[in-house]
Amino acid sequence: MEMKNKYVTINDYINGAPMESNFSICEETISLSSGEDNINVMVVKNLYISVDPYQLNRMKTHSCSQLLLPESAAILPGQAADDLGSENPGHGGMGQKLLGRRRPGNWGGVIDGSGVGRVVESAHPDFKRGDLVTGRLHWGEYTVIKGVDTISMKKLDPLGFPLSYYAGSILGSSGLAAYGGFFKVCQPKKGDKLFVSAASGSVGILVGQYAKLFGCFVVGCAGTKQKVDLLKHKLGFDDAFNYKEETDLNSTLQRYFPNGIDIYFDNVGGEMLEAAVENMNIFGRVAVCGVISEYTDKTKGAKPDMIAVIYKRIRIEGFLTVDFKDIYEEFISTTVQHLQTGKMQAIEDFSYGVESIPTALVDLFRGNNVGKKVVRIAED
Amino acid sequence: MEMKNKYVTINDYINGAPMESNFSICEETISLSSGEDNINVMVVKNLYISVDPYQLNRMKTHSCSQLLLPESAAILPGQAADDLGSENPGHGGMGQKLLGRRRPGNWGGVIDGSGVGRVVESAHPDFKRGDLVTGRLHWGEYTVIKGVDTISMKKLDPLGFPLSYYAGSILGSSGLAAYGGFFKVCQPKKGDKLFVSAASGSVGILVGQYAKLFGCFVVGCAGTKQKVDLLKHKLGFDDAFNYKEETDLNSTLQRYFPNGIDIYFDNVGGEMLEAAVENMNIFGRVAVCGVISEYTDKTKGAKPDMIAVIYKRIRIEGFLTVDFKDIYEEFISTTVQHLQTGKMQAIEDFSYGVESIPTALVDLFRGNNVGKKVVRIAED
């Protein structure tokens, strides 16, 4: 079998803010010969591809995989360390291998991310042509997977929901990050006052909705009036503000939380984290999902007041979505119910075609997305 | 009843490193008239007084009590917010009222801290003359307590141990901080690799011992060769180093923890916290007991790598000893047993007399103490 495959690659490591010029669109011919070599090989036609901020961390000279010491591999039998980060929805993640396939004379290889596709060829006994699947797919038209396993690739029954919901969106990794981050890491109590940053981003927009349904007071921040309006008027946040219009974040948070913050769901890091700690109540919890302000500029790192952390007994905790596998079924059933009863909404921001992927990523760092960024590669 | 009382007061707020000249020794005449006003009044002859780094935080223009929002009072029925910090052993704590009694024409008043004394006069039904007590005592020869309550002041049975052990030392607040901080906040597992800073300080020296007994690999840092030798050769730490001889703390920790750190018990904050986070294993825990490097210079605050916090799912958590009241009995019985079987040692650093208190405090910030700093005010 032979087919043309257009895909995205990067031209060199990206250590600052990403630009379209960092990427190239390449074309290759996929030829799948039959024989023993092809056992467990599968070709998937990509339908929806997730684009997430964390993916930038895998494109740096020092991939964030270096943060993980050897024992990390042990926690995820059957998964390459490479896949750990992929599971990270909103703003965390890392990859041991930057690129899946390197070829002589070509610096880059394919880049992967979570997605939804349809099997067009399979030598794996558990997948057959025509199956819908969700898992790690490449930023391209097709994904050739060698060594398919049923942990990182799953058959998909969309339960009547749009396929895009499963491509890192509300029923995919962003949903699981929001659900696990809120319920497991934040350990919420009814009436808790929750602040979420990047609140119109893929994870924040869901955290706020889960928190409202649970019984929290919820304020989010975002970077445009349009996003703030969406949070306040369409998604039921108690309040929201445009951080770009604020000059002193500490006072801003004091204004929105005169009785302090119990939970801060952090997607941005930097000054916002510092201001949140200043405004935290005793026994406050900070779930660190992402620190997008630091991804492109490490000097923007937060210097939280540790004296306040002691006196207020604040807990600051990082997490990866991969750690929530044990609550996946609970997450799906709860979220499906909320979607069916209209209590939750998926907000998605689409781009179309492989060529749009680089801009889709770049836009995340310019704050141009509203909700989950998904690229539709092909119609089903 | 009338008696002369020598006591320590401060001359003005102290916002930098403390100096002896910040303090004065005053003398007053205590007269206790009888009558209804004196119900619940008690006079205690101070025997041992604890001197702790956190007390400096109560002497600043902006007392750390301002970090606490009103609800904090609610968690400790029967205790003034003032007393919260007092319960904080090693390096945390705060006080709402800087000084207990203010008098016209005199800027300062008495300063309190945990201690052991003997009741010389009591109008409270639960305490009688001659009782040994432990609780908040003043930095002076006597403590006059109005509104005595049995939560902040307790009768003491020393169980055959030196009285100093109860004055903020191994059977007092430092012990409880180390015990609760290690077992409750760090959530240790046998074989965990633990790093403790200010390891020869009042809390660190006990954390290391608890951790060794529990089955951890323990490395501590301190600021002199004498302290390092004590940790390695007398207290059974697996290793220890003098941080003043190190130029790159990140590499230092890599050297002592080639397989990474699972638990960091932080007493110092600043660069050491940053280096510990860099060397942390996945699911690592940082118990923030104190940040002494930041008490006298806020610009030294740590900027931990939050990207590492996410990828390695690190939990950073502050605590106060006051939160461990529910495990007080367990702490005492366990520690008494370890002392009786010779498995733990109290390392105390004595000063003598009210006049020595200012230097005792100042010395803490110069690293001159080895183990728990206790001032013996009088022989029993």
Side-chain angles (χ1 to χ4, degrees):
Chain A
M1 193 188 75
E2 274 201 4
M3 56 188 88
K4 295 276 184 203
N5 178 38
K6 218 166 12 180
Y7 66 97
V8 178
T9 189
I10 58 172
N11 303 324
D12 201 345
Y13 293 120
I14 306 171
N15 290 310
M19 294 178 295
E20 278 88 345
S21 60
N22 296 130
F23 299 88
S24 295
I25 310 292
C26 302
E27 200 170 276
E28 62 179 355
T29 301
I30 297 171
S31 66
L32 206 63
S33 58
S34 50
E36 278 199 7
D37 278 359
N38 286 332
I39 287 174
N40 289 344
V41 170
M42 184 162 92
V43 181
V44 175
K45 183 186 179 193
N46 305 329
L47 301 174
Y48 292 94
I49 292 288
S50 174
V51 177
D52 299 284
Y54 83 83
Q55 290 173 296
L56 184 67
N57 291 329
R58 307 171 70 199
M59 299 171 185
K60 294 175 182 173
T61 312
H62 295 284
S63 165
C64 294
S65 65
Q66 292 164 346
L67 295 169
L68 294 182
L69 292 163
E71 30 300 26
S72 66
I75 63 153
L76 283 174
Q79 264 208 324
D82 193 18
D83 286 329
L84 266 169
S86 64
E87 297 291 334
N88 210 32
H91 303 284
M94 66 15 276
Q96 193 163 50
K97 295 171 296 177
L98 173 65
L99 304 163
R101 292 175 288 158
R102 290 181 182 276
R103 273 155 302 174
N106 185 342
W107 191 87
V110 295
I111 301 165
D112 63 354
S114 67
V116 169
R118 203 172 275 283
V119 176
V120 291
E121 200 70 58
S122 172
H124 189 287
D126 291 351
F127 299 96
K128 62 174 198 297
R129 186 184 301 194
D131 281 348
L132 267 178
V133 290
T134 179
R136 303 298 292 173
L137 298 180
H138 298 166
W139 282 9
E141 294 175 299
Y142 292 93
T143 304
V144 180
I145 312 164
K146 294 177 181 169
V148 180
D149 66 82
T150 52
I151 291 173
S152 50
M153 188 60 64
K154 288 186 187 305
K155 276 202 261 195
L156 174 65
D157 172 2
L159 303 168
F161 294 110
L163 295 182
S164 58
Y165 283 19
Y166 297 90
S169 184
I170 188 164
L171 294 171
S173 50
S174 291
L176 185 54
Y179 189 88
F182 176 64
F183 286 105
K184 298 299 165 188
V185 182
C186 298
Q187 294 282 325
K189 295 184 296 294
K190 283 192 205 308
D192 271 351
K193 296 170 278 298
L194 178 143
F195 173 53
V196 54
S197 53
S200 75
S202 62
V203 179
I205 212 160
L206 300 175
V207 168
Q209 292 184 71
Y210 283 125
K212 278 306 300 171
L213 287 169
F214 181 76
C216 291
F217 171 81
V218 176
V219 177
C221 73
T224 67
K225 185 180 181 306
Q226 177 207 3
K227 294 177 182 180
V228 167
D229 286 346
L230 173 74
L231 299 173
K232 285 164 71 170
H233 305 307
K234 197 170 168 195
L235 295 174
F237 281 47
D238 292 288
D239 217 330
F241 64 89
N242 181 349
Y243 71 91
K244 289 182 181 165
E245 288 176 353
E246 302 294 331
T247 50
D248 174 1
L249 295 174
N250 198 347
S251 315
T252 303
L253 290 181
Q254 257 169 36
R255 207 165 69 235
Y256 284 94
F257 293 93
N259 297 313
I261 298 169
D262 298 303
I263 294 172
Y264 173 44
F265 196 102
D266 190 12
N267 290 308
V268 304
E271 290 180 346
M272 195 65 88
L273 173 55
E274 292 173 10
V277 164
E278 288 303 307
N279 284 279
M280 214 93 200
N281 287 333
I282 59 165
F283 298 111
R285 290 132 276 158
V286 178
V288 192
C289 177
V291 288
I292 195 169
S293 73
E294 302 173 27
Y295 290 169
T296 55
D297 183 356
K298 240 191 157 175
T299 64
K300 288 194 175 167
K303 204 176 188 175
D305 181 351
M306 296 308 290
I307 298 182
V309 167
I310 296 172
Y311 293 147
K312 299 197 285 191
R313 294 85 118 193
I314 294 171
R315 170 164 59 86
I316 300 173
E317 193 166 348
F319 69 91
L320 291 182
T321 317
V322 69
D323 302 326
F324 302 137
K325 290 198 162 180
D326 57 331
I327 55 166
Y328 179 78
E329 297 303 333
E330 171 195 325
F331 147 67
I332 286 289
S333 70
T334 305
T335 310
V336 160
Q337 204 177 352
H338 289 328
L339 284 168
Q340 282 168 340
T341 54
K343 287 182 180 163
M344 279 187 85
Q345 294 180 59
I347 307 291
E348 298 179 303
D349 188 323
F350 286 101
S351 298
Y352 300 92
V354 169
E355 289 82 353
S356 76
I357 295 177
T359 302
L361 182 77
V362 167
D363 274 355
L364 294 177
F365 292 90
R366 293 179 180 155
N368 289 344
N369 61 307
V370 179
K372 179 72 191 93
K373 190 78 205 178
V374 182
V375 179
R376 191 172 83 181
I377 304 292
E379 288 198 64
D380 190 22
Chain B
M1 194 187 73
E2 273 201 4
M3 56 189 87
K4 294 277 183 205
N5 179 37
K6 218 164 18 178
Y7 66 98
V8 178
T9 188
I10 59 172
N11 303 324
D12 201 346
Y13 294 119
I14 306 171
N15 290 311
M19 293 178 294
E20 278 87 346
S21 59
N22 295 132
F23 298 90
S24 295
I25 309 293
C26 302
E27 200 170 277
E28 64 178 354
T29 301
I30 298 171
S31 66
L32 206 63
S33 57
S34 50
E36 279 199 6
D37 277 359
N38 286 333
I39 287 174
N40 289 344
V41 170
M42 184 161 93
V43 181
V44 175
K45 183 184 178 195
N46 304 328
L47 301 174
Y48 292 94
I49 291 290
S50 174
V51 177
D52 299 284
Y54 82 84
Q55 290 174 295
L56 184 68
N57 291 329
R58 308 170 68 198
M59 299 172 185
K60 294 175 181 173
T61 312
H62 295 285
S63 166
C64 294
S65 65
Q66 292 164 347
L67 295 169
L68 295 182
L69 292 163
E71 40 281 43
S72 65
I75 62 154
L76 282 175
Q79 265 207 323
D82 193 18
D83 286 331
L84 266 171
S86 64
E87 298 291 334
N88 210 31
H91 304 284
M94 67 11 277
Q96 193 161 51
K97 294 172 294 178
L98 173 65
L99 305 163
R101 292 174 287 159
R102 290 180 181 275
R103 275 155 301 175
N106 184 341
W107 191 86
V110 295
I111 300 165
D112 63 354
S114 66
V116 170
R118 204 172 273 284
V119 175
V120 291
E121 200 69 57
S122 171
H124 189 286
D126 291 350
F127 299 95
K128 64 176 195 299
R129 186 184 303 194
D131 281 350
L132 269 178
V133 290
T134 180
R136 302 299 292 173
L137 298 181
H138 297 167
W139 282 10
E141 294 175 297
Y142 292 93
T143 304
V144 179
I145 311 163
K146 294 176 182 170
V148 181
D149 67 82
T150 53
I151 291 172
S152 50
M153 187 61 62
K154 288 185 187 305
K155 275 202 263 195
L156 174 64
D157 172 2
L159 304 168
F161 293 108
L163 294 182
S164 58
Y165 282 19
Y166 298 89
S169 184
I170 190 165
L171 294 171
S173 50
S174 291
L176 186 54
Y179 189 89
F182 175 64
F183 286 104
K184 297 300 164 187
V185 181
C186 298
Q187 294 282 325
K189 295 185 295 294
K190 283 190 206 309
D192 271 352
K193 295 170 279 298
L194 177 142
F195 173 54
V196 53
S197 53
S200 75
S202 63
V203 179
I205 212 160
L206 300 175
V207 167
Q209 293 184 71
Y210 283 124
K212 277 306 300 171
L213 287 169
F214 180 75
C216 291
F217 170 81
V218 176
V219 177
C221 72
T224 67
K225 185 179 181 308
Q226 177 207 4
K227 294 176 183 180
V228 167
D229 286 345
L230 172 75
L231 299 172
K232 285 165 70 172
H233 304 308
K234 197 171 167 193
L235 296 174
F237 281 48
D238 292 288
D239 218 330
F241 64 89
N242 181 349
Y243 71 91
K244 288 181 182 164
E245 289 174 352
E246 302 294 331
T247 50
D248 175 0
L249 294 175
N250 199 347
S251 314
T252 303
L253 291 181
Q254 255 169 37
R255 208 164 68 236
Y256 284 94
F257 293 94
N259 296 313
I261 298 169
D262 298 303
I263 294 173
Y264 172 45
F265 196 101
D266 190 12
N267 289 308
V268 304
E271 289 179 349
M272 195 64 87
L273 173 56
E274 293 173 10
V277 165
E278 287 303 308
N279 284 279
M280 214 91 201
N281 287 333
I282 59 165
F283 298 112
R285 290 131 275 159
V286 178
V288 192
C289 178
V291 287
I292 195 169
S293 74
E294 302 174 25
Y295 290 169
T296 55
D297 183 355
K298 240 190 157 176
T299 63
K300 289 194 173 165
K303 204 176 186 177
D305 180 352
M306 297 308 290
I307 297 181
V309 167
I310 296 171
Y311 292 147
K312 299 198 283 191
R313 296 83 121 192
I314 293 171
R315 168 165 60 87
I316 300 173
E317 191 164 349
F319 68 91
L320 291 181
T321 316
V322 70
D323 301 327
F324 302 137
K325 291 199 163 181
D326 56 332
I327 55 166
Y328 179 79
E329 299 302 333
E330 171 195 325
F331 148 67
I332 286 289
S333 69
T334 305
T335 309
V336 159
Q337 204 178 351
H338 288 328
L339 284 169
Q340 282 168 341
T341 54
K343 287 182 181 163
M344 280 188 84
Q345 296 179 58
I347 307 290
E348 299 181 302
D349 189 325
F350 287 100
S351 299
Y352 300 93
V354 170
E355 289 84 353
S356 76
I357 296 177
T359 302
L361 182 76
V362 166
D363 273 355
L364 294 176
F365 292 90
R366 293 179 181 156
N368 289 344
N369 62 307
V370 179
K372 178 72 191 94
K373 190 78 204 177
V374 181
V375 179
R376 191 173 82 181
I377 304 293
E379 288 197 63
D380 190 23

